[in-house]
Amino acid sequence: MEQLVKMSIYIHMAVAVFLILSQLAYFLIKNEKSFIKFSKKFRNLLLIQNIIFGMTAFTGVVVMAVTQFTLWNLEIFLMIFLAIGIFVYQIILYKKIRPIKSIEKELQEEFKKYASKIYLSEAVAGVVIYILARIL
């Protein structure tokens, strides 16, 4: 039983690392000159992130089920809080990019700055929670 719990936690942590890396992938597409290409790449990135987010949530539930829902501590609450934040900001980012037209350069730059702040803060929060989970 102990090995099953450890394996579940390792799989969950690996998927969480992929989620953090997918958030940092935004900075690879941020410098795209054409907003139309940026928008397509951004929507594809959102799709990939949503799939990885779903995998992270699923593996988290599996870990909780394997431990028979007895494992409740600060890291779990922080992970749930971060998951809710990521979910909410994914929706906000998608809603913000939709009405921006290709000729509205100021709105495009404003969106890129806003998205950079969001992705950087999500990635930093994910790394902090990952480190806390490894230490505690």
Side-chain angles (χ1 to χ4, degrees):
M1 184 68 169
E2 183 69 28
Q3 290 178 351
L4 187 60
V5 171
K6 285 184 179 180
M7 185 180 69
S8 300
I9 291 172
Y10 288 141
I11 291 171
H12 178 67
M13 296 307 255
V15 174
V17 167
F18 285 131
L19 181 63
I20 293 168
L21 292 175
S22 73
Q23 291 166 339
L24 294 175
Y26 167 77
F27 295 100
L28 295 174
I29 66 168
K30 177 182 147 184
N31 295 328
E32 181 68 49
K33 300 293 183 210
S34 168
F35 190 73
I36 294 172
K37 288 182 182 178
F38 168 78
S39 179
K40 287 179 183 178
K41 288 180 181 181
F42 182 76
R43 288 181 182 166
N44 287 336
L45 180 63
L46 278 178
L47 176 63
I48 291 168
Q49 287 174 340
N50 286 332
I51 291 169
I52 296 172
F53 177 72
M55 291 169 50
T56 306
F58 177 75
T59 57
V61 170
V62 168
V63 168
M64 295 300 291
V66 167
T67 60
Q68 299 175 349
F69 297 93
T70 58
L71 185 67
W72 287 99
N73 53 25
L74 178 64
E75 301 118 48
I76 302 297
F77 288 111
L78 289 175
M79 286 180 200
I80 292 170
F81 181 72
L82 180 62
I84 292 169
I86 289 172
F87 183 69
V88 167
Y89 278 109
Q90 292 284 0
I91 294 169
I92 291 171
L93 287 172
Y94 181 73
K95 285 188 165 219
K96 277 190 173 267
I97 198 168
R98 283 187 57 198
I100 299 176
K101 295 182 177 34
S102 61
I103 58 172
E104 299 173 324
K105 300 293 183 196
E106 187 176 308
L107 287 176
Q108 294 169 10
E109 291 304 314
E110 202 174 288
F111 173 79
K112 286 181 180 181
K113 287 179 186 175
Y114 179 74
S116 295
K117 290 176 188 175
I118 297 299
Y119 279 119
L120 187 60
S121 62
E122 285 179 359
V124 168
V127 168
V128 168
I129 292 173
Y130 181 83
I131 291 170
L132 282 175
R134 300 303 298 161
I135 292 173
L136 301 176

